[in-house]
Amino acid sequence: MTTMTTLQPSESRPSPVSSEPAEVLLRVEGIKKRFGDTHVLKGISLTARRGDVITLIGSSGSGKSTFLRCLNLLEQPDGGELEIHGQPVHFTTTRHGRVPQDEKRVQWMRSRVAMVFQNFNLWSHMTLLENIIEAPIHVQGYSRAEAINEARCLLAKVGLEERADHYPSQLSGGQQQRGAIARALAMNPDVMLFDEPTSALDPELVGDVLAVMRRLAEEGRTMVLVTHEMDFARDVSTRIMYLNQGEVEEEGPPQQVLDTPRSNRLRQFLSTR
Amino acid sequence: MLNLHGYGMRLIEGALVTVELAALSLIIAVLLGLVTASAKLSKRRLPHLLATLYTTLIRGVPDLVLMMLFFFGGQVLMNDVSDWLYARFGLDLFINIDAFIAGVLTIGLIFGAYMGETFRGAIQAVDKGQVEAATACGMSRALIFRRIRFPLMMRHALPGLSNNWLVLLKTTALVSVIGLSDMVRVATQASKTTLEPFTFMLFVAVIYLLLTSLSEWVIKRLTRKYNAGFTRGRS
């Protein structure tokens, strides 16, 4: 996909009548999560097909970040099913709660679903380049030379080719986040998760990070993101889900959800933005 | 020039014993320290309790007392065990505690407790987000420890670790009381024979000083290595 006209990937996707819908990369059903007595997630489902950009919105405490973290099992859901590329993750109940049966399977799954964090979380004892080649070498088994080649391309893509040998502490927040996006891309994941990627940035640095993410969306990357940037969400999303108190209150294409909200709460939420 | 009355070779051999003893004890102490720290940070009650008991005991009793307790007390225990084995099963098995091994184990055991405290603080100081990022990349727990947790932790652990090492190195002098021919014991014997304690003790002091100075140099290099990526001045 090289054309720049696909700002609304929903319009460019083939209609289900003429051809098959895009392949399902990530499917979760009825995800539940409890912290103590608080039910943070009360059964949320999501299906991400290739090229989907799904944005989760909602006020703080609505469970959107927890849900996102369940998608690559950084948080273990107490109930529900999870499938990546058609491969289910099986859970088993021990006295420590519900845990995945096969740790190896979970590790493989995590390498297919990359995560970009609010606080970047680049490894501070490694240079930017070392950060990016770490997982390709040690998790995926690429040779150092291959990994470095790929990393240099990715650094160019996020506009940091000059910064390869800098440590995270020598980079601005925006540069660190773009570096973190490059690190996630280096795994060539099926799905990328973004957990409020611009919330920790100074306002003037937000634009660069959003520009990188916008380009990824245009390239047809499958993404699930939590963000408060409503204009951005409107532009790039194929679907928006509004979460309230651990439940999906409303979901649909961005225009529908943002311009003609049906629920009062969503209307209220949008008016405070 | 120092007149060592022909004790030179034996003193050098003693110095080698000191270095070997210290190095092996350090390995045991670091491993024990990592285990202790993990146990203390564990949510489970039993490991936590055992680790607390261990550090409280070790840190509350003088090193010299512990050493004699383990060496002489240990030998009495071993004798009782072999007596019992002989009486019960007719097994004629005499277990003799080797002074070198006893020294290594005792010093390792003592400093494991101190290392445990050092590592506990260091592990807690590691940014959880960076470990989480590694988990999210599909790294296994072992890989995360080797590539992320350990190097990040070392940065915080090195000052305490270095201090423990210097004290450990000097504590090896205590093994002379359990009959191990380390540098100090050789020097003590030589002083008694030649009635020149100043000469021999000065020699020993200089060797210790050389060893600690060498350590400081290594520590400085390690500090530089594990501080890579962190701006100077931030602790």
Side-chain angles (χ1 to χ4, degrees), chain B residues 11 14-15 17-18 181-188 204 207-208 211:
Chain B
L11 279 168
V17 170
T18 298
S181 290
D182 78 321
M183 183 165 61
V184 176
R185 189 175 170 87
V186 175
T188 314
V204 168
I207 299 280
Y208 271 116
L211 289 175

Side-chain angles (χ1 to χ4, degrees), chain A residues 69 72 74 95-96 107 110-111 113-115 117 121-126 134-135 138-139 167 169 183 187, chain B residues 44 127 129-141 143 146-148 151-152 228-231 234:
Chain A
R69 290 163 57 81
N72 74 346
L74 279 179
R95 62 196 178 96
H96 299 295
Q107 283 160 17
R110 285 185 179 130
S111 72
V113 183
M115 177 82 136
F117 298 86
N121 292 340
L122 287 173
W123 299 306
S124 48
H125 60 301
M126 298 181 184
E134 179 68 18
H138 290 102
V139 177
Y167 285 98
S169 62
R183 175 174 70 177
M187 317 269 303
Chain B
R44 296 180 199 194
D127 172 20
Q130 299 195 23
V131 175
E132 200 161 65
T135 309
C137 284
M139 290 175 145
S140 68
R141 287 173 66 97
L143 188 62
R146 189 162 61 84
R147 301 286 308 169
I148 311 294
L152 285 172
F230 294 89
T231 32
R234 243 171 47 183

Side-chain angles (χ1 to χ4, degrees), chain B residues 78-135:
Chain B
M78 284 301 152
N79 292 348
D80 285 352
V81 167
S82 51
D83 283 352
W84 180 78
L85 282 177
Y86 185 71
R88 188 89 171 72
F89 302 105
L91 266 174
D92 194 2
L93 187 76
F94 181 71
I95 308 159
N96 192 14
I97 295 192
D98 178 71
F100 183 77
I101 292 173
V104 167
L105 290 180
T106 315
I107 296 178
L109 205 62
I110 292 170
F111 281 88
Y114 293 98
M115 296 291 187
E117 292 302 307
T118 302
F119 284 137
R120 182 172 70 149
I123 290 173
Q124 279 175 318
V126 171
D127 172 20
K128 290 206 172 50
Q130 299 195 23
V131 175
E132 200 161 65
T135 309

Side-chain angles (χ1 to χ4, degrees), chain B residues 28-77:
Chain B
I28 291 183
V30 166
L31 293 178
L32 260 177
L34 286 173
V35 172
T36 309
S38 322
K40 280 205 168 184
L41 292 171
S42 157
K43 285 187 201 87
R44 296 180 199 194
R45 211 169 308 156
L46 188 67
H48 187 91
L49 189 78
L50 287 174
T52 310
L53 199 71
Y54 165 57
T55 51
T56 312
L57 257 172
I58 297 287
R59 298 203 299 171
V61 179
D63 298 353
L64 186 59
V65 176
L66 281 173
M67 193 164 294
M68 295 206 276
L69 190 70
F70 287 137
F71 184 62
F72 299 116
Q75 189 61 63
V76 172
L77 188 74

Side-chain angles (χ1 to χ4, degrees), chain A:
Chain A
M1 222 187 274
T2 48
T3 52
M4 293 295 286
T5 51
T6 50
L7 278 182
Q8 303 292 332
S10 51
E11 295 166 3
S12 67
R13 275 197 299 157
S15 72
V17 188
S18 62
S19 66
E20 302 240 320
E23 163 193 23
V24 173
L25 294 180
L26 176 69
R27 194 180 69 81
V28 296
E29 282 295 326
I31 293 292
K32 292 193 181 112
K33 179 73 188 174
R34 214 179 53 210
F35 291 123
D37 289 335
T38 322
H39 292 263
V40 185
L41 301 174
K42 298 171 185 163
I44 300 186
S45 305
L46 174 151
T47 302
R49 296 175 181 278
R50 189 179 293 285
D52 276 354
V53 178
I54 301 173
T55 303
L56 309 170
I57 59 172
S59 45
S60 57
S62 59
K64 52 195 191 314
S65 278
T66 307
F67 178 61
L68 194 74
R69 290 163 57 81
C70 282
L71 295 182
N72 74 346
L73 295 174
L74 279 179
E75 218 63 81
Q76 307 297 335
D78 297 318
E81 288 160 35
L82 202 143
E83 234 178 67
I84 173 85
H85 239 132
Q87 309 263 345
V89 175
H90 298 288
F91 292 89
T92 172
T93 308
T94 69
R95 62 196 178 96
H96 299 295
R98 191 168 177 265
V99 293
Q101 236 171 35
D102 182 357
E103 189 58 29
K104 278 266 169 306
R105 181 72 157 272
V106 172
Q107 283 160 17
W108 170 81
M109 188 228 137
R110 285 185 179 130
S111 72
R112 307 311 315 137
V113 183
M115 177 82 136
V116 174
F117 298 86
Q118 182 176 351
N119 294 316
F120 335 129
N121 292 340
L122 287 173
W123 299 306
S124 48
H125 60 301
M126 298 181 184
T127 64
L128 190 50
L129 187 76
E130 287 168 344
N131 263 278
I132 296 172
I133 62 176
E134 179 68 18
I137 293 176
H138 290 102
V139 177
Q140 297 179 314
Y142 286 100
S143 76
R144 202 178 157 79
E146 281 174 303
I148 288 178
N149 263 338
E150 177 68 17
R152 296 224 181 263
C153 294
L154 290 171
L155 280 172
K157 187 172 186 158
V158 299
L160 289 174
E161 61 268 66
E162 316 270 275
R163 299 275 187 263
D165 297 322
H166 285 55
Y167 285 98
S169 62
Q170 300 165 321
L171 301 170
S172 74
Q175 292 172 332
Q176 287 189 56
Q177 192 60 298
R178 283 183 279 144
I181 292 173
R183 175 174 70 177
L185 281 169
M187 317 269 303
N188 194 23
D190 291 321
V191 181
M192 286 181 80
L193 310 176
F194 293 82
D195 188 6
E196 303 200 28
T198 57
S199 297
L201 296 176
D202 293 335
E204 72 268 24
L205 301 174
V206 169
D208 290 345
V209 172
L210 290 184
V212 168
M213 290 171 63
R214 187 185 298 267
R215 205 157 45 208
L216 294 178
E218 287 164 4
E219 285 170 5
R221 281 270 166 198
T222 314
M223 296 158 45
V224 180
L225 50 119
V226 171
T227 185
H228 294 292
E229 302 283 339
M230 287 302 157
D231 294 335
F232 178 75
R234 179 195 300 270
D235 282 355
V236 303
S237 306
T238 52
R239 202 155 78 247
I240 289 188
M241 292 167 77
Y242 171 63
L243 266 64
N244 184 50
Q245 294 183 353
E247 280 169 309
V248 180
E249 178 124 343
E250 205 164 326
E251 74 172 297
Q255 291 86 349
Q256 182 196 311
V257 173
L258 297 178
D259 298 339
T260 56
R262 277 169 294 144
S263 90
N264 278 330
R265 273 204 212 90
L266 175 55
R267 226 170 286 145
Q268 220 167 38
F269 171 77
L270 290 172
S271 68
T272 57
R273 293 286 124 186

